[in-house]
Amino acid sequence: MQVFKFGGASVKSAENIKNVVSIIEKYKDTELLVVVSAIGKTTDKLAQITSDYFKNQGDPLQLLEQLKNEHFELLDQLFTDRTASIYDDIANTFVEVEWILEEEAQDSFDYLFDQIVSIGELLSTKIIAAYAQNQGLPAIWVDARDYIFTDNTYQEAKVDWEKTEEKIRKDFPVILDDQIIITQGFIGSTSENFTTTLGREGSDYSAAIFAASLNAENITIWKDVPGVLNADPKWFDQTELIPELSYTDAIELTYYGATVIHPKTIKPLQNKKITLNVRSFINPSAPGTQIKTTNQTLPVPSFIFKVNQVFINIQPRDFSFIVEDNLSHIFNAFHNHRIKINMMHNSAISFSVSVDDTGENVLNLLEQLKQRYKVSVEKGLELITIRYYNQQTIDRVLVNKEIIRELKDSYTCQMLVKNKDE
Ligand code: ASP
Ligand code: MG
């Protein structure tokens, strides 16, 4: 059997949804499970709604109404019969959130986020399953929350693998015999049946969980790029497709910030030796990239660019050394504010890091650190990582840049830089 994953961009319009269903159709006689993300930017919009609701600002119900209209417009483009049950189904899914928004916010933000934002994937999969059925495909909608079991770390839930695998293995093979499962990425549920989410961009990870549990032959992530490239075309004009990639290189690249695949996705697949294909939904007959066990190293150096970095330098106030107890306090602060360190450097009297400038939680972190340490901050920087670097590749990215910090090991070079003219 195989697992397909389609992200938000692949289903962002009626035309795109038709394309996705036409790809599924080609595989209709094979055992297939399809994982889908929320449509377009739905997750961001639902996150905004949650935050407005929680902070008692703006008009979250109005924003929800807009999102509902967008989903209904899609339905009108996909279905001719306005009395089709999918219309009620979508309306009812929105009602669940309307009910939440009508009450005063009592629960924690993280909990509310998961209850509200999770409808994005419920909506998209309902629409796609209904459309596929309409096209005569033996598609069945499955609620991922009945299968992916997690703890209650809302927004970043940890999967209970044992329970999850057991349930998937018990139910899915029979269904897959003659039906195509369409289910949600990103969401799961606690043992008390509360909805959880697995972290932003987590649908890839969901697909990996299903694939690993079912010992799938392979999994395919369908993207708007031809496969894994040696750099994001957003930042680099001469990108090259990497036809074959080892699990280790893939893990390294995503660890340093390559956004093509969610970092948690690869390990469960590597454990089971399941090949991960990254292919283009725009050009579905092209082979794309295969991530698998191979001794091949990357054929070309790979570049990862992360803009909007904040460099934070931390020193003990009394100029004592940075030792283990300081460091554990500092790491805890980052963890508690959910801030991921992209680069770090430790010296006798200071500890410095680069993190994404995510606004509010970085400000909160800085406030906390300043209570105990001397903290200096520099914003607007860029972090460049090169895997399999050489001097030529370094020179190429440093044009007009000044290095603030540089870290190198045998394969990877990381440089935190700023523009020279600034
Ligand atoms: N829809 C979720 C998000 O935007 C999950 C995903 O797309 O992978 O984060
Ligand atoms: Mg995505």
Side-chain angles (χ1 to χ4, degrees):
M1 68 88 46
Q2 52 183 337
V3 173
F4 283 178
K5 183 263 172 174
F6 291 97
S10 68
V11 291
K12 69 173 184 218
S13 66
E15 201 190 321
N16 282 26
I17 291 176
K18 288 179 183 171
N19 175 53
V20 161
V21 171
S22 78
I23 294 175
I24 296 172
E25 173 147 37
K26 292 198 188 96
Y27 296 85
K28 69 170 192 290
D29 298 324
T30 66
E31 290 183 333
L32 181 62
L33 181 149
V34 181
V35 171
V36 189
S37 300
I39 287 167
K41 296 276 170 239
T42 301
T43 305
D44 288 336
K45 291 175 189 171
L46 288 165
Q48 183 66 47
I49 288 169
T50 310
S51 144
D52 285 356
Y53 165 62
F54 189 75
K55 293 181 186 154
N56 221 336
Q57 68 188 21
D59 190 348
L61 268 167
Q62 167 65 25
L63 287 179
L64 189 71
E65 193 61 29
Q66 278 173 25
L67 194 62
K68 190 162 141 187
N69 290 339
E70 286 170 29
H71 280 77
F72 274 104
E73 273 163 33
L74 263 182
L75 289 183
D76 286 344
Q77 290 164 30
L78 292 168
F79 300 91
T80 44
D81 177 10
R82 271 204 152 222
T83 62
S85 61
I86 182 68
Y87 280 83
D88 281 343
D89 213 358
I90 294 305
N92 290 338
T93 309
F94 275 99
V95 167
E96 308 254 334
V97 175
E98 280 158 20
W99 280 345
I100 300 178
L101 299 185
E102 275 157 15
E103 304 283 324
E104 195 90 356
Q106 305 275 359
D107 299 290
S108 77
F109 178 80
D110 294 342
Y111 170 81
L112 287 168
F113 181 98
D114 287 3
Q115 311 318 304
I116 295 173
V117 171
S118 53
I119 71 157
E121 271 69 12
L122 295 172
L123 295 165
S124 66
T125 49
K126 284 181 176 183
I127 294 175
I128 288 153
Y131 182 74
Q133 286 159 1
N134 217 351
Q135 296 302 107
L137 295 178
I140 177 169
W141 181 84
V142 167
D143 191 331
R145 296 171 299 179
D146 295 333
Y147 292 93
I148 307 247
F149 299 107
T150 70
D151 70 0
N152 62 359
T153 320
Y154 294 104
Q155 282 217 70
E156 208 56 71
K158 306 280 165 304
V159 173
D160 178 340
W161 275 91
E162 213 173 303
K163 219 173 136 193
T164 298
E165 282 193 317
E166 192 188 311
K167 184 82 191 294
I168 292 174
R169 281 192 197 142
K170 181 167 157 276
D171 290 1
F172 281 10
V174 185
I175 307 177
L176 289 166
D177 258 352
D178 53 5
Q179 281 172 300
I180 299 167
I181 294 179
I182 312 252
T183 192
Q184 306 80 45
F186 187 49
I187 68 175
S189 77
T190 67
S191 49
E192 270 123 27
N193 277 328
F194 292 116
T195 304
T196 52
T197 64
L198 308 178
R200 285 306 305 267
E201 303 298 329
S203 294
D204 294 352
Y205 181 45
S206 303
I209 297 167
F210 288 118
S213 302
L214 292 165
N215 285 313
E217 279 145 48
N218 61 65
I219 148 173
T220 302
I221 298 185
W222 296 90
K223 308 268 314 176
D224 56 2
V225 287
V228 179
L229 305 172
N230 72 325
D232 186 335
K234 211 157 63 182
W235 311 114
F236 223 58
D237 40 16
Q238 286 169 328
T239 54
E240 284 177 56
L241 176 71
I242 302 168
E244 211 177 282
L245 191 64
S246 68
Y247 293 113
T248 315
D249 274 332
I251 289 171
E252 290 284 336
L253 291 178
T254 56
Y255 171 79
Y256 286 113
T259 54
V260 61
I261 314 157
H262 188 280
K264 281 190 194 162
T265 312
I266 300 156
K267 199 66 206 162
L269 301 175
Q270 180 178 27
N271 292 345
K272 296 260 170 105
K273 297 198 165 47
I274 298 169
T275 301
L276 167 59
N277 305 302
V278 181
R279 294 172 63 182
S280 158
F281 63 76
I282 300 161
N283 185 9
S285 54
T289 299
Q290 285 199 334
I291 300 170
K292 57 183 184 186
T293 313
T294 158
N295 295 327
Q296 287 245 330
T297 54
L298 285 175
V300 286
S302 286
F303 300 83
I304 299 146
F305 299 88
K306 273 179 157 287
V307 293
N308 211 9
Q309 295 295 297
V310 196
F311 179 64
I312 307 172
N313 188 41
I314 304 161
Q315 289 182 352
R317 286 195 181 283
D318 55 5
F319 295 101
S320 64
F321 294 122
I322 283 277
V323 289
E324 284 75 2
D325 75 326
N326 284 327
L327 285 179
S328 75
H329 175 257
I330 294 170
F331 278 122
N332 254 320
F334 279 86
H335 178 74
N336 292 338
H337 292 279
R338 285 223 179 85
I339 295 170
K340 186 180 164 284
I341 297 173
N342 296 327
M343 177 196 209
M344 61 182 158
H345 181 255
N346 185 23
S347 77
I349 52 152
S350 79
F351 176 70
S352 52
V353 300
S354 170
V355 302
D356 293 347
D357 195 352
T358 45
E360 210 171 332
N361 51 345
V362 173
L363 291 178
N364 294 338
L365 166 80
L366 291 173
E367 211 163 285
Q368 187 187 338
L369 290 173
K370 280 176 184 163
Q371 286 166 13
R372 188 152 154 187
Y373 306 98
K374 204 171 140 224
V375 180
S376 66
V377 178
E378 188 166 357
K379 293 189 171 207
L381 305 176
E382 190 178 332
L383 180 65
I384 306 175
T385 304
I386 312 177
R387 178 108 176 127
Y388 300 119
Y389 65 93
N390 54 32
Q391 193 54 43
Q392 195 192 345
T393 53
I394 292 178
D395 294 343
R396 178 168 169 193
V397 296
L398 283 185
V399 178
N400 274 325
K401 310 271 186 204
E402 178 190 329
I403 299 184
I404 312 261
R405 269 279 187 290
E406 180 181 45
L407 286 181
K408 279 181 183 166
D409 66 26
S410 1
Y411 299 118
T412 307
C413 167
Q414 277 194 302
M415 291 171 291
L416 187 66
V417 301
K418 71 172 178 192
N419 285 336
K420 266 195 181 141
D421 35 89
E422 277 166 19

